[in-house]
Amino acid sequence: SKQRCQYKFLMEDKPSNMTIERAKALDEIEFEWEVKSIRDGEGWQRRYQELKEFRERTGHCRVPRRYNENKALGLWVQTQRREYKLQMEDKPSQMTIERAKA
């Protein structure tokens, strides 16, 4: 993301639109600076837990794409549906069998 790129420039003392104050503000909301943690399953597990909590509260898993209470969850659910559809069509997908069964 642009934020990650600008943060990297800031840390390398290169010209950057990122300021220390902005970086601290993003840290306060637990912004993911390393994409690897999102891709390695940690981020997936976190969103999966959020989805389970959503289901406990609402009785369903139909999270709106623009879910104001947790926008990241809404986008994540949309992505899971898209990846599942690709897998079902035998197209390249990030969806694993384990995730689809969860």
Side-chain angles (χ1 to χ4, degrees):
S1 78
K2 186 172 184 175
Q3 299 302 318
R4 290 180 185 93
C5 183
Q6 292 299 314
Y7 179 76
K8 181 180 176 186
F9 290 160
L10 177 69
M11 294 295 105
E12 295 172 351
D13 288 326
K14 294 180 179 177
S16 171
N17 293 329
M18 178 65 64
T19 64
I20 296 294
E21 293 78 20
R22 288 179 180 175
K24 285 180 182 178
L26 289 169
D27 282 338
E28 287 174 9
I29 61 169
E30 299 178 10
F31 182 78
E32 296 280 346
W33 292 110
E34 296 293 325
V35 178
K36 182 183 181 299
S37 68
I38 296 169
R39 291 186 182 152
D40 70 4
E42 178 185 315
W44 191 92
Q45 287 295 329
R46 183 175 344 118
R47 295 289 178 249
Y48 177 67
Q49 185 60 40
E50 290 172 0
L51 179 60
K52 286 171 54 175
E53 292 166 6
F54 177 89
R55 187 172 193 272
E56 286 175 18
R57 285 192 317 275
T58 64
H60 61 80
C61 291
R62 295 182 306 274
V63 182
R65 184 172 33 151
R66 291 185 175 94
Y67 180 48
N68 288 332
E69 188 175 321
N70 185 340
K71 292 179 182 181
L73 179 61
L75 291 171
W76 181 84
V77 168
Q78 176 187 5
T79 299
Q80 300 313 299
R81 289 181 178 131
R82 181 182 65 239
E83 293 297 323
Y84 180 78
K85 181 180 178 185
L86 288 171
Q87 184 187 45
M88 293 294 100
E89 295 171 350
D90 288 328
K91 294 180 179 176
S93 169
Q94 299 296 315
M95 180 64 62
T96 64
I97 293 171
E98 293 79 19
R99 288 180 178 178
K101 287 181 179 180

